[in-house]
Structure formats: C-alpha cells, structure tokens
Amino acid sequence: MRNLERYKRLLLAKRDELSAARDAAAALAPPAGDTEGDLMDRANADAEAELQTRVHQTDGRLLRAIEEALVRIRRGTFGVCEACKSPISKARLEAVPWTHLCRDCKERKHSTA
Ligand SMILES: [Zn+2]
C-alpha cells in the first residue's frame, strides 16, 4: 500500500500523544494521603478519580488498537477489514488509522450490539 509510511507516522504520533497525556495525568494525581478534607472535597476527589480511571481505560484501549495497527503494518495486512477482508477506505484510515473494520462492518457491529 502506497500510504503505509504516512499511516505509520500518524499512528506513532497518536501513540506518543496518548503516552504523554497519560504521563501528565499521573504527574497531576495527588499523592497518597492527601485526600483529607470535608465531605464535599472528598466527594469531588472521588468523582475526579473515577473520571481519571475512565479516561485511562479509554486511552488504554486506543493504545492497544494503535499497537495492533502497527503490527498489521509490519505484516502487510494494514488497511484491510478484519471482518469482510475488503479494503478500508482511505478517508476512514485518515480519520482513524488504528481501525481494523471498514465502515460497513463497524456499523453492523454497532447495530447488533
Ligand atoms: Zn468490513
């Protein structure tokens, strides 16, 4: 595929971005034992912690998807839908280079889920 190098750069850039965001979030996390305070503060801290956890889970999934896409580039299977084996459109790969499903299969998956 002609644009492979380009997609690889996109994937690596996104991976760096996510890793940096994760490091920054870890640096911002309050040190253990610093959660004393009145009930309202405590509730806010809990909500914040929950939000951070959710953000991390999403990032983790995306990071894994990016790693898998990089593996597919190495194997020469990048840009092919894993469900129907059709080529994934260029526009879709530009927007979400880590995808492993074409638009049709992605939508089908959503409608059956
Ligand atoms: Zn497909």
Coordinates of all heavy atoms in Angstrom, one line a residue, residues 17-105:
E17 N 1.3 10.9 21.7 CA 0.3 11.9 22.3 C -0.4 11.3 23.5 O -0.5 11.9 24.6 CB -0.7 12.3 21.2 CG -1.6 13.4 21.6 CD -2.7 13.6 20.6 OE1 -2.4 13.7 19.4 OE2 -3.9 13.6 20.9
L18 N -0.8 10.0 23.3 CA -1.5 9.3 24.4 C -0.6 9.0 25.5 O -1.0 9.2 26.7 CB -2.1 8.0 23.9 CG -3.4 8.1 23.0 CD1 -3.8 6.8 22.5 CD2 -4.5 8.8 23.7
S19 N 0.6 8.6 25.2 CA 1.6 8.3 26.3 C 1.9 9.6 27.1 O 2.0 9.5 28.3 CB 2.9 7.8 25.7 OG 2.6 6.6 24.9
A20 N 2.0 10.7 26.4 CA 2.4 12.0 27.1 C 1.2 12.4 28.0 O 1.4 12.8 29.1 CB 2.7 13.0 26.0
A21 N 0.0 12.2 27.5 CA -1.2 12.6 28.2 C -1.3 11.7 29.5 O -1.7 12.2 30.6 CB -2.5 12.4 27.4
R22 N -1.0 10.5 29.3 CA -1.0 9.5 30.5 C 0.0 9.9 31.5 O -0.3 9.9 32.7 CB -0.8 8.1 29.9 CG -0.7 7.1 31.0 CD -0.6 5.7 30.5 NE -1.9 5.2 30.1 CZ -2.1 3.9 29.8 NH1 -1.1 3.1 29.8 NH2 -3.3 3.5 29.5
D23 N 1.2 10.3 31.1 CA 2.3 10.7 32.0 C 1.9 11.9 32.7 O 2.1 12.1 33.9 CB 3.6 10.9 31.2 CG 4.2 9.6 30.7 OD1 3.7 8.5 31.1 OD2 5.1 9.7 29.9
A24 N 1.2 12.9 32.0 CA 0.8 14.1 32.6 C -0.2 13.9 33.6 O -0.2 14.5 34.7 CB 0.3 15.1 31.5
A25 N -1.2 13.0 33.3 CA -2.3 12.7 34.3 C -1.7 12.1 35.5 O -2.1 12.4 36.6 CB -3.3 11.8 33.6
A26 N -0.7 11.2 35.4 CA -0.1 10.5 36.5 C 0.7 11.6 37.4 O 0.6 11.5 38.6 CB 0.9 9.5 36.0
A27 N 1.3 12.5 36.7 CA 2.0 13.6 37.5 C 1.1 14.5 38.2 O 1.4 15.0 39.3 CB 2.9 14.4 36.5
L28 N -0.1 14.6 37.7 CA -1.1 15.5 38.4 C -1.9 14.8 39.5 O -2.5 15.5 40.3 CB -2.2 16.0 37.3 CG -1.7 17.1 36.4 CD1 -2.8 17.4 35.4 CD2 -1.4 18.4 37.2
A29 N -1.9 13.5 39.5 CA -2.6 12.8 40.5 C -2.0 13.1 41.9 O -0.8 13.2 42.1 CB -2.4 11.3 40.3
P30 N -3.0 13.4 42.9 CA -2.5 13.8 44.2 C -1.8 12.6 44.9 O -2.1 11.5 44.7 CB -3.8 14.1 44.9 CG -4.9 13.4 44.2 CD -4.4 13.3 42.8
P31 N -0.8 13.0 45.7 CA 0.0 11.9 46.4 C -0.9 11.2 47.4 O -1.9 11.8 47.9 CB 1.1 12.7 47.1 CG 0.7 14.1 47.1 CD -0.2 14.3 45.9
A32 N -0.6 10.0 47.7 CA -1.5 9.2 48.6 C -1.5 9.9 50.0 O -0.5 10.5 50.4 CB -0.9 7.8 48.8
G33 N -2.6 9.9 50.7 CA -2.7 10.5 52.0 C -3.1 12.0 51.9 O -3.2 12.7 52.9
D34 N -3.3 12.5 50.7 CA -3.6 13.9 50.5 C -5.1 14.1 50.2 O -5.5 15.0 49.6 CB -2.8 14.5 49.4 CG -2.9 16.0 49.4 OD1 -3.1 16.6 50.4 OD2 -2.7 16.6 48.3
T35 N -5.9 13.1 50.6 CA -7.3 13.2 50.3 C -8.2 13.6 51.6 O -9.4 13.4 51.6 CB -7.8 11.8 49.8 OG1 -7.4 10.8 50.7 CG2 -7.3 11.5 48.4
E36 N -7.5 14.1 52.6 CA -8.2 14.6 53.8 C -9.0 15.8 53.4 O -8.7 16.5 52.4 CB -7.3 14.9 54.9 CG -6.5 13.7 55.4 CD -7.3 12.7 56.2 OE1 -8.3 13.1 56.8 OE2 -7.0 11.5 56.1
G37 N -10.1 16.1 54.2 CA -10.8 17.3 53.9 C -12.3 17.1 54.3 O -12.6 16.0 54.8
D38 N -13.1 18.1 54.0 CA -14.5 17.9 54.4 C -15.2 17.0 53.4 O -14.6 16.6 52.3 CB -15.3 19.3 54.5 CG -15.3 20.0 53.2 OD1 -15.4 19.4 52.1 OD2 -15.2 21.3 53.3
L39 N -16.4 16.6 53.6 CA -17.1 15.6 52.8 C -17.2 16.0 51.3 O -17.1 15.2 50.4 CB -18.5 15.3 53.4 CG -18.5 14.4 54.6 CD1 -19.9 14.3 55.1 CD2 -18.0 13.0 54.1
M40 N -17.5 17.3 51.1 CA -17.7 17.8 49.8 C -16.4 17.6 49.0 O -16.4 17.2 47.8 CB -18.1 19.3 49.8 CG -18.6 19.8 48.4 SD -20.0 18.9 47.9 CE -21.3 20.0 48.4
D41 N -15.3 18.0 49.6 CA -14.0 17.9 48.9 C -13.7 16.4 48.6 O -13.2 16.0 47.5 CB -12.8 18.4 49.8 CG -12.7 19.9 49.6 OD1 -13.4 20.4 48.8 OD2 -12.0 20.5 50.4
R42 N -14.1 15.6 49.5 CA -13.8 14.1 49.4 C -14.7 13.6 48.2 O -14.2 12.8 47.4 CB -14.2 13.4 50.7 CG -13.9 12.0 50.7 CD -12.4 11.8 50.5 NE -12.1 10.4 50.2 CZ -11.5 9.6 51.1 NH1 -11.2 10.0 52.3 NH2 -11.3 8.4 50.7
A43 N -15.9 14.0 48.1 CA -16.8 13.6 47.1 C -16.2 14.0 45.7 O -16.2 13.3 44.8 CB -18.2 14.1 47.3
N44 N -15.8 15.3 45.7 CA -15.2 15.7 44.4 C -14.0 15.0 44.0 O -13.8 14.6 42.9 CB -14.8 17.2 44.5 CG -16.1 18.1 44.4 OD1 -17.1 17.7 43.9 ND2 -16.0 19.3 45.0
A45 N -13.2 14.6 45.0 CA -11.9 13.9 44.7 C -12.3 12.5 44.2 O -11.7 12.0 43.3 CB -11.1 13.8 46.0
D46 N -13.3 11.9 44.8 CA -13.7 10.6 44.3 C -14.2 10.6 42.9 O -13.9 9.8 42.0 CB -14.9 10.0 45.2 CG -14.3 9.5 46.5 OD1 -13.1 9.5 46.7 OD2 -15.1 9.2 47.4
A47 N -15.1 11.7 42.6 CA -15.6 11.8 41.2 C -14.4 12.0 40.2 O -14.4 11.5 39.1 CB -16.6 13.0 41.2
E48 N -13.5 12.8 40.6 CA -12.3 13.1 39.8 C -11.5 11.8 39.5 O -11.1 11.6 38.4 CB -11.4 14.2 40.5 CG -10.2 14.5 39.7 CD -10.5 15.3 38.4 OE1 -11.6 15.9 38.3 OE2 -9.6 15.4 37.6
A49 N -11.3 11.1 40.6 CA -10.6 9.8 40.4 C -11.3 8.9 39.5 O -10.7 8.2 38.7 CB -10.4 9.2 41.8
E50 N -12.6 8.8 39.6 CA -13.4 7.9 38.8 C -13.3 8.4 37.3 O -13.1 7.5 36.4 CB -14.9 8.0 39.2 CG -15.7 6.8 38.6 CD -17.2 7.0 38.8 OE1 -17.5 7.5 39.9 OE2 -17.9 6.7 37.9
L51 N -13.3 9.7 37.1 CA -13.2 10.2 35.7 C -11.8 9.9 35.2 O -11.7 9.4 34.0 CB -13.4 11.7 35.8 CG -13.3 12.4 34.4 CD1 -14.5 12.0 33.5 CD2 -13.3 13.9 34.6
Q52 N -10.8 10.0 36.0 CA -9.4 9.7 35.5 C -9.3 8.2 35.1 O -8.7 7.9 34.1 CB -8.4 10.0 36.6 CG -8.2 11.5 36.8 CD -7.5 12.1 35.6 OE1 -6.8 11.5 34.9 NE2 -7.8 13.4 35.4
T53 N -10.0 7.4 35.9 CA -9.9 6.0 35.7 C -10.5 5.7 34.3 O -10.0 4.9 33.5 CB -10.6 5.2 36.8 OG1 -10.1 5.5 38.0 CG2 -10.5 3.7 36.5
R54 N -11.7 6.3 34.1 CA -12.4 6.1 32.8 C -11.6 6.6 31.6 O -11.5 5.9 30.6 CB -13.8 6.8 32.9 CG -14.9 5.9 32.3 CD -16.2 6.6 32.5 NE -16.5 6.9 33.9 CZ -17.4 7.8 34.2 NH1 -17.9 8.6 33.4 NH2 -17.6 8.1 35.5
V55 N -11.0 7.7 31.8 CA -10.1 8.3 30.7 C -9.0 7.3 30.4 O -8.7 7.0 29.3 CB -9.6 9.7 31.1 CG1 -8.4 10.1 30.2 CG2 -10.7 10.7 31.1
H56 N -8.4 6.8 31.5 CA -7.3 5.9 31.3 C -7.7 4.6 30.6 O -7.0 4.1 29.8 CB -6.7 5.5 32.7 CG -5.7 6.5 33.2 ND1 -4.6 6.2 34.0 CD2 -5.6 7.8 32.9 CE1 -3.9 7.3 34.2 NE2 -4.5 8.3 33.5
Q57 N -8.9 4.1 30.9 CA -9.4 2.9 30.3 C -9.5 3.1 28.8 O -9.2 2.3 28.0 CB -10.7 2.4 30.9 CG -10.4 1.7 32.2 CD -11.7 1.5 33.0 OE1 -12.8 2.0 32.6 NE2 -11.7 0.7 34.0
T58 N -10.1 4.3 28.4 CA -10.3 4.6 27.0 C -8.9 4.7 26.3 O -8.7 4.2 25.2 CB -11.0 5.9 26.9 OG1 -12.2 5.8 27.6 CG2 -11.4 6.2 25.4
D59 N -8.0 5.4 27.0 CA -6.7 5.6 26.4 C -6.0 4.2 26.2 O -5.3 4.0 25.2 CB -5.8 6.5 27.3 CG -6.1 7.9 27.1 OD1 -7.0 8.2 26.3 OD2 -5.5 8.8 27.8
G60 N -6.2 3.4 27.2 CA -5.6 2.0 27.1 C -6.1 1.2 26.0 O -5.3 0.6 25.3
R61 N -7.4 1.3 25.7 CA -7.9 0.6 24.6 C -7.4 1.1 23.3 O -7.1 0.4 22.4 CB -9.5 0.7 24.6 CG -10.2 -0.4 25.3 CD -11.6 -0.6 24.9 NE -12.4 0.6 25.3 CZ -13.0 0.8 26.4 NH1 -12.8 -0.1 27.4 NH2 -13.7 1.9 26.7
L62 N -7.3 2.5 23.2 CA -6.9 3.1 22.0 C -5.4 2.8 21.7 O -5.0 2.5 20.6 CB -7.1 4.6 22.1 CG -6.8 5.5 20.8 CD1 -7.6 4.9 19.7 CD2 -7.3 6.9 21.1
L63 N -4.6 2.8 22.8 CA -3.2 2.5 22.7 C -3.0 1.1 22.2 O -2.2 0.8 21.3 CB -2.5 2.6 24.1 CG -1.9 4.0 24.4 CD1 -1.4 4.0 25.8 CD2 -0.8 4.3 23.5
R64 N -3.8 0.2 22.7 CA -3.7 -1.2 22.2 C -4.1 -1.3 20.7 O -3.5 -2.0 20.0 CB -4.6 -2.1 23.1 CG -4.2 -3.6 23.1 CD -4.6 -4.3 24.3 NE -6.0 -4.1 24.6 CZ -6.5 -3.6 25.8 NH1 -5.7 -3.3 26.7 NH2 -7.8 -3.5 26.0
A65 N -5.2 -0.6 20.4 CA -5.6 -0.6 19.0 C -4.5 -0.1 18.1 O -4.3 -0.6 16.9 CB -6.9 0.3 18.8
I66 N -3.8 1.0 18.5 CA -2.7 1.5 17.8 C -1.5 0.5 17.6 O -1.0 0.3 16.5 CB -2.2 2.9 18.4 CG1 -3.3 3.9 18.3 CG2 -0.9 3.3 17.8 CD1 -3.0 5.2 19.1
E67 N -1.2 -0.1 18.7 CA -0.2 -1.1 18.7 C -0.5 -2.2 17.7 O 0.3 -2.7 16.9 CB 0.1 -1.8 20.1 CG 0.6 -0.8 21.1 CD 2.1 -0.4 20.8 OE1 2.7 -1.0 20.0 OE2 2.5 0.6 21.4
E68 N -1.8 -2.7 17.7 CA -2.2 -3.7 16.8 C -2.1 -3.2 15.3 O -1.8 -4.0 14.4 CB -3.6 -4.1 17.1 CG -3.7 -5.0 18.4 CD -5.1 -5.2 18.9 OE1 -6.1 -4.7 18.3 OE2 -5.2 -5.8 20.0
A69 N -2.5 -2.0 15.1 CA -2.4 -1.4 13.7 C -0.9 -1.4 13.3 O -0.6 -1.7 12.1 CB -3.0 0.0 13.7
L70 N 0.0 -1.1 14.2 CA 1.4 -1.1 13.8 C 1.9 -2.5 13.4 O 2.7 -2.7 12.5 CB 2.3 -0.5 14.9 CG 2.1 1.0 15.1 CD1 2.7 1.5 16.5 CD2 2.7 1.8 14.0
V71 N 1.4 -3.5 14.2 CA 1.7 -4.9 13.9 C 1.2 -5.2 12.5 O 1.9 -5.9 11.7 CB 1.1 -5.8 14.9 CG1 1.2 -7.3 14.4 CG2 1.8 -5.7 16.3
R72 N -0.1 -4.8 12.2 CA -0.6 -5.1 10.8 C 0.2 -4.4 9.7 O 0.3 -5.0 8.6 CB -2.1 -4.6 10.8 CG -3.0 -5.5 11.6 CD -4.5 -5.3 11.2 NE -5.0 -3.9 11.5 CZ -5.4 -3.5 12.7 NH1 -5.4 -4.3 13.7 NH2 -5.8 -2.3 12.8
I73 N 0.7 -3.2 10.0 CA 1.6 -2.6 9.0 C 2.8 -3.5 8.7 O 3.2 -3.7 7.6 CB 2.0 -1.2 9.5 CG1 0.9 -0.2 9.4 CG2 3.2 -0.7 8.7 CD1 1.2 1.2 9.8
R74 N 3.4 -4.0 9.8 CA 4.6 -4.9 9.6 C 4.2 -6.1 8.9 O 5.0 -6.7 8.1 CB 5.2 -5.2 11.0 CG 6.0 -4.1 11.6 CD 6.9 -4.6 12.7 NE 6.2 -5.1 13.9 CZ 5.8 -4.3 14.9 NH1 6.1 -3.1 14.8 NH2 5.2 -4.8 15.9
R75 N 3.0 -6.7 9.1 CA 2.6 -7.9 8.5 C 2.1 -7.7 7.1 O 1.8 -8.7 6.4 CB 1.6 -8.6 9.3 CG 2.1 -9.2 10.6 CD 1.0 -9.9 11.4 NE 1.6 -10.4 12.6 CZ 0.8 -10.8 13.7 NH1 -0.5 -10.6 13.6 NH2 1.3 -11.3 14.7
G76 N 1.8 -6.4 6.7 CA 1.3 -6.2 5.4 C -0.2 -6.4 5.3 O -0.8 -6.5 4.2
T77 N -0.9 -6.4 6.5 CA -2.4 -6.6 6.4 C -3.1 -5.3 6.8 O -4.3 -5.3 7.0 CB -2.8 -7.7 7.4 OG1 -2.4 -7.4 8.7 CG2 -2.2 -9.1 7.0
F78 N -2.3 -4.2 6.9 CA -3.0 -3.0 7.3 C -3.9 -2.5 6.2 O -3.6 -2.6 5.1 CB -1.9 -1.9 7.6 CG -2.4 -0.6 8.0 CD1 -2.8 -0.3 9.3 CD2 -2.5 0.4 7.1 CE1 -3.3 0.9 9.7 CE2 -3.0 1.7 7.4 CZ -3.4 1.9 8.7
G79 N -5.0 -1.9 6.7 CA -6.0 -1.3 5.7 C -7.0 -2.2 5.1 O -7.7 -1.9 4.2
V80 N -6.9 -3.5 5.7 CA -7.9 -4.5 5.2 C -8.9 -4.8 6.4 O -8.4 -5.0 7.5 CB -7.2 -5.8 4.8 CG1 -8.2 -6.9 4.4 CG2 -6.2 -5.5 3.6
C81 N -10.1 -4.8 6.1 CA -11.1 -5.0 7.1 C -11.0 -6.5 7.6 O -10.9 -7.4 6.8 CB -12.5 -4.8 6.6 SG -13.8 -5.3 7.7
E82 N -10.9 -6.6 9.0 CA -10.7 -8.0 9.5 C -12.0 -8.8 9.4 O -11.9 -10.0 9.5 CB -10.3 -7.9 11.0 CG -8.8 -7.4 11.1 CD -8.3 -7.5 12.5 OE1 -9.1 -7.6 13.5 OE2 -7.1 -7.3 12.7
A83 N -13.1 -8.2 9.3 CA -14.4 -8.9 9.2 C -14.7 -9.4 7.8 O -15.0 -10.6 7.6 CB -15.5 -8.1 9.8
C84 N -14.7 -8.5 6.8 CA -15.1 -8.9 5.5 C -13.9 -8.9 4.5 O -14.1 -9.2 3.3 CB -16.2 -7.9 5.0 SG -15.6 -6.2 4.7
K85 N -12.7 -8.6 5.0 CA -11.5 -8.6 4.1 C -11.5 -7.6 3.0 O -10.7 -7.8 2.0 CB -11.2 -10.0 3.6 CG -11.3 -11.1 4.6 CD -10.3 -11.0 5.7 CE -10.4 -12.1 6.7 NZ -9.6 -11.8 7.9
S86 N -12.4 -6.6 3.0 CA -12.4 -5.6 2.0 C -11.4 -4.5 2.4 O -11.1 -4.3 3.6 CB -13.8 -5.0 1.8 OG -14.7 -6.0 1.5
P87 N -10.9 -3.8 1.4 CA -10.0 -2.6 1.7 C -10.8 -1.6 2.5 O -11.9 -1.3 2.1 CB -9.5 -2.1 0.4 CG -9.9 -3.1 -0.6 CD -11.0 -3.9 0.0
I88 N -10.2 -1.0 3.5 CA -10.9 0.1 4.3 C -10.6 1.4 3.5 O -9.5 1.6 3.0 CB -10.3 0.2 5.7 CG1 -10.6 -1.2 6.4 CG2 -10.9 1.3 6.5 CD1 -9.9 -1.3 7.8
S89 N -11.6 2.2 3.4 CA -11.5 3.4 2.6 C -10.4 4.3 3.1 O -10.1 4.4 4.3 CB -12.8 4.2 2.6 OG -13.0 4.9 3.8
K90 N -9.8 5.1 2.2 CA -8.7 5.9 2.6 C -9.1 7.0 3.5 O -8.4 7.3 4.5 CB -8.2 6.6 1.3 CG -6.7 6.9 1.3 CD -6.2 7.3 -0.1 CE -5.5 8.7 0.0 NZ -5.1 9.2 -1.4
A91 N -10.3 7.6 3.3 CA -10.8 8.6 4.2 C -11.0 8.1 5.6 O -10.7 8.8 6.6 CB -12.2 9.1 3.7
R92 N -11.4 6.9 5.8 CA -11.6 6.3 7.1 C -10.2 6.1 7.8 O -10.1 6.3 8.9 CB -12.4 5.0 7.0 CG -12.6 4.3 8.3 CD -13.8 3.3 8.2 NE -13.8 2.4 9.3 CZ -14.2 2.7 10.6 NH1 -14.6 4.0 10.8 NH2 -14.2 1.9 11.5
L93 N -9.3 5.6 7.0 CA -7.9 5.4 7.5 C -7.3 6.7 7.9 O -6.5 6.7 8.9 CB -7.1 4.6 6.5 CG -7.4 3.1 6.3 CD1 -6.5 2.6 5.2 CD2 -7.2 2.4 7.6
E94 N -7.6 7.7 7.2 CA -7.0 9.1 7.5 C -7.6 9.5 8.9 O -6.8 10.1 9.7 CB -7.4 10.1 6.5 CG -6.7 9.9 5.2 CD -5.3 10.6 5.2 OE1 -5.1 11.5 6.1 OE2 -4.4 10.2 4.4
A95 N -8.9 9.2 9.1 CA -9.5 9.7 10.3 C -9.2 8.8 11.5 O -8.9 9.3 12.6 CB -11.0 9.7 10.1
V96 N -9.2 7.5 11.3 CA -8.9 6.6 12.4 C -8.0 5.5 11.9 O -8.4 4.4 11.6 CB -10.2 5.9 13.0 CG1 -10.9 6.8 14.0 CG2 -11.2 5.6 11.8
P97 N -6.7 5.8 11.8 CA -5.7 4.8 11.2 C -5.6 3.5 12.0 O -5.1 2.6 11.5 CB -4.4 5.6 11.1 CG -4.6 6.8 12.1 CD -6.1 7.1 12.1
W98 N -6.1 3.5 13.2 CA -6.0 2.3 14.0 C -7.2 1.4 13.9 O -7.2 0.4 14.5 CB -5.8 2.7 15.5 CG -6.8 3.6 16.0 CD1 -8.1 3.4 16.4 CD2 -6.7 5.1 16.0 NE1 -8.7 4.5 16.7 CE2 -7.9 5.6 16.5 CE3 -5.7 5.9 15.7 CZ2 -8.1 7.0 16.7 CZ3 -5.9 7.3 15.9 CH2 -7.1 7.8 16.3
T99 N -8.1 1.8 13.0 CA -9.3 0.9 12.9 C -9.0 -0.4 12.2 O -8.0 -0.5 11.4 CB -10.4 1.6 12.1 OG1 -11.6 0.8 12.2 CG2 -10.0 1.8 10.6
H100 N -9.7 -1.5 12.5 CA -9.5 -2.7 11.9 C -10.8 -3.2 11.2 O -10.9 -4.4 10.8 CB -9.0 -3.8 12.9 CG -9.9 -4.0 14.0 ND1 -10.8 -5.1 14.0 CD2 -10.2 -3.3 15.1 CE1 -11.5 -5.0 15.1 NE2 -11.2 -4.0 15.8
L101 N -11.8 -2.3 11.1 CA -13.0 -2.6 10.5 C -13.4 -1.6 9.5 O -13.1 -0.4 9.7 CB -14.1 -2.8 11.5 CG -14.1 -3.9 12.5 CD1 -15.2 -3.8 13.5 CD2 -14.2 -5.2 11.8
C102 N -14.0 -2.0 8.3 CA -14.5 -1.0 7.4 C -15.7 -0.3 8.0 O -16.3 -0.8 9.0 CB -14.7 -1.6 6.1 SG -16.1 -2.7 6.0
R103 N -16.2 0.7 7.4 CA -17.3 1.4 7.9 C -18.6 0.5 8.0 O -19.3 0.5 9.0 CB -17.6 2.7 7.1 CG -18.7 3.6 7.7 CD -18.9 4.8 6.8 NE -17.7 5.6 6.7 CZ -17.4 6.6 7.5 NH1 -18.2 6.9 8.5 NH2 -16.3 7.3 7.4
D104 N -18.8 -0.2 7.0 CA -20.0 -1.1 7.0 C -20.0 -2.1 8.1 O -21.0 -2.3 8.8 CB -20.1 -1.9 5.6 CG -20.5 -1.0 4.5 OD1 -20.9 0.1 4.8 OD2 -20.4 -1.5 3.3
C105 N -18.8 -2.7 8.3 CA -18.7 -3.7 9.4 C -18.8 -3.1 10.8 O -19.4 -3.6 11.7 CB -17.4 -4.5 9.3 SG -17.4 -5.6 7.8

